[in-house]
Amino acid sequence: MIGLMAKLMALVLAAIGVLHTIWATGGTWPAKDERALAHMVAGFRDRDRMPSEPLTIAVAMALFIAAFWAIAMVGGLGNPLLTVGGAVIAAILILRGLAGFTPQWRALTPQEPFARLDRLAYSPLSLALGAGFVVLVLWRLA
């Protein structure tokens, strides 16, 4: 069961990483243009352009690493750094998820439809993935 959970987490993280890679290379799916995409996935006040290519590639790489990490944590490797790394990933994801529900984050990212999508999907997904990493960490420590 833990292996299936890790695979599902890895699939979701890798899919989001693929989206970031597409955006970094100029793709705008699922939006019609860059402005609409920036409003959908970045949400920063008065921002009509996507973040820079290097920044978006860095996010994609972090997502791919997290996807690999989820699989590696159940892969039978005894390295304690996998557990520590999993805890760090859990903390980052949980903090990102919680941030989406704070007035400070909403003041930084009021653009619609991002603000609505963040409350309904992005932040809850970050919390769920963070919780999954907590489960993986606890499983490794058991």
Side-chain angles (χ1 to χ4, degrees):
M1 191 65 159
I2 198 84
L4 177 61
M5 183 189 78
K7 288 175 186 173
L8 288 173
M9 290 169 53
L11 180 65
V12 169
L13 289 161
I16 299 168
V18 167
L19 280 174
H20 280 76
T21 303
I22 290 168
W23 299 335
T25 58
T28 60
W29 186 86
K32 63 181 169 85
D33 57 31
E34 183 182 14
R35 180 179 187 273
L37 183 64
H39 290 188
M40 183 183 295
V41 301
F44 291 99
R45 181 180 308 282
D46 301 323
R47 178 138 187 145
D48 291 334
R49 298 192 50 113
M50 285 294 288
S52 70
E53 178 182 331
L55 179 60
T56 307
I57 287 290
V59 171
M61 289 174 50
L63 289 160
F64 290 131
I65 290 168
F68 165 79
W69 215 274
I71 297 298
M73 288 182 76
V74 297
L77 299 173
N79 189 333
L81 289 179
L82 284 172
T83 306
V84 172
V88 169
I89 294 169
I92 291 167
L93 288 166
I94 290 169
L95 287 172
R96 166 55 186 95
L98 291 173
F101 296 106
T102 65
Q104 295 85 356
W105 180 252
R106 195 55 52 230
L108 285 173
T109 59
Q111 193 69 256
E112 290 294 350
F114 175 84
R116 178 178 50 80
L117 291 169
D118 193 29
R119 284 187 309 274
L120 295 175
Y122 308 152
S123 289
L125 181 58
S126 292
L127 289 170
L129 289 166
F133 272 99
V134 168
V135 169
L136 292 176
V137 166
L138 294 174
W139 177 78
R140 285 184 61 87
L141 292 173

